[in-house]
Amino acid sequence: MSILDQRKLIKSIHPFDLLGEKDLDNLMGKIDIAYYTKDTLLISKNLPSIAFYIIIKGSVTEYIDDEIHNVYSSGDSFDADALIYEKTEAKFLVEEDLICYEIKKEDFLDLMQDKRVQGYFLQDFVSRHQNLKHHDTQSELTPFLMARVTDIYLHEACLVDENSSILEALKKQYKLKAKVIIVKKEDEYEIVTDTDLKEKVLLSGLDVNEKVSKISTSGIISIDINDFLFNALLIMTHNEIKRLVVTENNQIIGVLEQLDLLSYFANHSHLIAVQIDKAVTVEDLKDIQEDLNNVIRILKTKGVKTRYITKLVSSLNIKIYKKLFSMVMPEELKNECCLIVLGSEGRGEQIIKTDQDNALIIKDGMDVSLFTDPMMKLNSYLLELGFPKCAGDVMVSNEFWRRDVSGYKALIKTLANSMDESKLQILSIILDAKAAAGNEALLDDVMNYLHTNFHSRDDVLAHMSKAVLSFETPLSLFSSFVTDKTHDNKLDIKKGGIFALVHGIRTLSLQYEVSVTNTVERIKELNNKGVIDKNFATELIESFDTLIAIRLDAQSIDKDENYVNPSNLEKNQRDLLKDSFKIVNKFKKFTSFHFHLNMVV
Amino acid sequence: MFSSFFREFFKKRDLKRLKDDKYKFLFEEDTSGEYVVFDTETTGLNPKKDDILSIGAVKIKDNKILTSQTFEMFIQNYCDISSESKKIHGIREVDLINAKTTFEVIPEFLEFIGSRPLVGYYLEFDIAMINKYVKPLLGIKLPNEQIEVSEIYYNQKIEFIPQGNIDLKFDTILQNCGVPNMGAHNAVNDAIMTAMIYLKLTKGNNDVR
């Protein structure tokens, strides 16, 4: 008889949950509980690791070169690397009286014989990250892409015998409202599409009483009912076809239409886009906002990556901007200006509505005052729709953000010659600009001017990038979140991580003339230009995604929330967050080195 | 001094009374350096009337609780389990259908503890329960040294609050020693928690609050 509660505890810790019952029983016979007082040195360069530790209570800090590298607390385990590679650069010190399970080195290495466990401990950062995320979605809900063909509505197939006439086949097709006719031959199926009917019957004047097999074509593309919907989409895209025949045990049971498939995937996001297009008044748009929030929630629970949701949401937001623009702007002025969105909206990274950051670029030679009224109206409509006011007043209602092209150029010129923090902030805002409506060429003109002006201004770039280092990464907070009452035991995920990534990537993009504004796209582009290597780029994207996702969770409760309480997170999420902050730190080091920040005063 | 003298005295006396020479090892000098923490779940709180339902024990060596060598046995008996105690340990009559009898379990338990010192919370009771079966079998009571954790706790605590009224409830001690509650009250879990308390009290920085 085993000790069930202990076993349950171990089993709840990833990756031990991957072990089979027998292996777990076996493992339980090898685990001891140890007690260590505060300040006990567990592992160091000169003190080889003798066991694998799983914390029951207390905490342990890992130092590398006397810097806090990681903090482990209840439910965490360490340190596989020290056991596997038999050496470590790190120092593990008990921070708070420790009660922990100990798996002796030999037993741990035995355990590593299990491929899944081995895989977990030997993976590098990126794959471990993805593994954890995968695990997360898998354990929470059916992942988005796990839906199968069985889950979706199938149309009845219009099956006819090869000896039936074209007319009979058409009658049956009409009755079933089917898009295609499937002809059953002796040992295979063939298909008759609308194109076939048009070309082979109508155009060539074939008699409708002829056999249907005369016009059918072979090579039906089918999918099994148990296959993934995702595969269906791939097959359709690959073969440029709009429908698939669905089979079960090689018998045709229905037809899967691309339209159904797409709307299944997009939920009704597609519908929302149509609704926005159809909206006539601001009231109409208001109703749509509600729907949008629902879609976000549904997509999130389906495990769609945050960056895809943000993409969808920001494209829908742009649609709203476009609609409002067309409502307020007189026809003759529409092409004489360009409405742009800035900040997170410009980067396409907002989900919950953050402040409206927008501006208007007016064609040189136009009377700027003509645009005042429409813009005031636009601003009030946006407020009505729940886009909050921008605290920094970066809005079209502010005269400062309504200028002509040469007005912006003059502004950029003064910015380029200034080292002032507030001026650099304005520059950062402009850098994320994205055209929402109107004449996009105007924005291109301004951005080109901006890039040529900053191309070789390493001094300004260095000053700009300095802000990356302005907030500490809250990794050390982990050790103290039990006692740190000033922050309500929480950490600021925006200051602590997101800002550094966004701003650093933005500055690099300015230096290397990357014109996209989305952070993930920027990282990819910087990778293409060879500024950062593939591995680092992937790490950055994954970390960014994690940070945004965790913030989204917090914001679903309070929309202004940038603070997250790590002890409220699931263990997996906590690990992901820790790993992400590590990458943020790596990125900070990269930035200071890249811009020689240690030399900038 | 005095008490150890008595123990030696009784030990010698009991050794002579020992019915079965097989169990002489109980009197040998302990060289393992280990302690055994144990707990019993019973049908009630009266050693005279009630029976043992299960025994859980773990060994302690230095700063480690050797959960890899856990002792856990369920015991068949003919006494009714009071509904009060059922609520505490969750052992019902049906859970014991496949259990062993005391005649099988007690020798195994003696084998497990050897001559190691015994540690427990309200140990007196558990020892009395065990002795109820040991006495007929060996003719003697358990000769092992006994360490009461609530006593260690009391002695440490009383230094800070000399006139204090010290709460010696298990859960209070658990909490004040910062030992996590491992969940259900069963013999093994309780033994492990008691072991943690013991380590905390003897190896810790004595910062019991």
Side-chain angles (χ1 to χ4, degrees), chain A residues 152 233 257-267 269-270:
Chain A
I152 198 171
L233 187 63
E257 293 286 335
Q258 190 185 36
L259 196 66
D260 296 322
L261 185 60
L262 287 180
S263 62
Y264 185 89
F265 274 124
N267 215 279
S269 60
H270 170 73

Side-chain angles (χ1 to χ4, degrees), chain B residues 2-14:
Chain B
F2 201 55
S3 65
S4 75
F5 169 77
F6 265 106
R7 216 176 55 235
E8 283 306 308
F9 174 77
F10 284 119
K11 229 172 151 177
K12 281 200 182 114
R13 192 196 64 185
D14 282 350

Side-chain angles (χ1 to χ4, degrees), chain A residues 1-3 5-6 9 28-38 56-57 97 99 101-102 104, chain B residues 63-68 70 72 74 178-180 182 184 186 188-189 192 196 199-200 203-205:
Chain A
M1 255 175 268
S2 65
I3 38 176
D5 291 300
Q6 310 282 320
L9 218 147
M28 287 314 296
K30 290 170 181 164
I31 292 183
D32 286 338
I33 294 175
Y35 173 78
Y36 296 98
T37 50
K38 184 171 155 54
I56 300 172
K57 197 166 177 189
D97 276 9
I99 301 173
Y101 290 115
E102 266 182 23
K104 281 182 223 71
Chain B
N63 65 335
K64 290 190 191 13
I65 304 167
L66 308 179
T67 41
S68 49
T70 308
E72 184 176 40
F74 291 89
V179 171
M182 310 288 286
N186 61 48
V188 168
N189 265 353
I192 290 174
M196 285 181 186
L199 282 180
K200 174 85 188 181
K203 312 279 177 198
N205 299 330

Side-chain angles (χ1 to χ4, degrees), chain B residues 15 54 56-57 62 78 99 105 116 119 133 146 156-157 173 208:
Chain B
L15 184 55
S54 75
D62 300 326
Y78 307 97
V105 172
R116 296 172 184 82
V119 180
Y133 304 100
Q146 296 167 17
Q156 289 188 6
K157 193 96 176 170
I173 299 179
V208 193

Side-chain angles (χ1 to χ4, degrees), chain A residues 15 41 69 102 130 167 194 226 317 321 371 374 456 527 547 565 599:
Chain A
L41 188 62
H69 184 67
E102 266 182 23
Q130 275 170 346
L167 188 65
D194 284 354
N226 291 314
N317 274 345
Y321 266 102
F371 296 87
S456 49
N527 171 230
L547 294 172
N565 188 343
M599 290 183 246

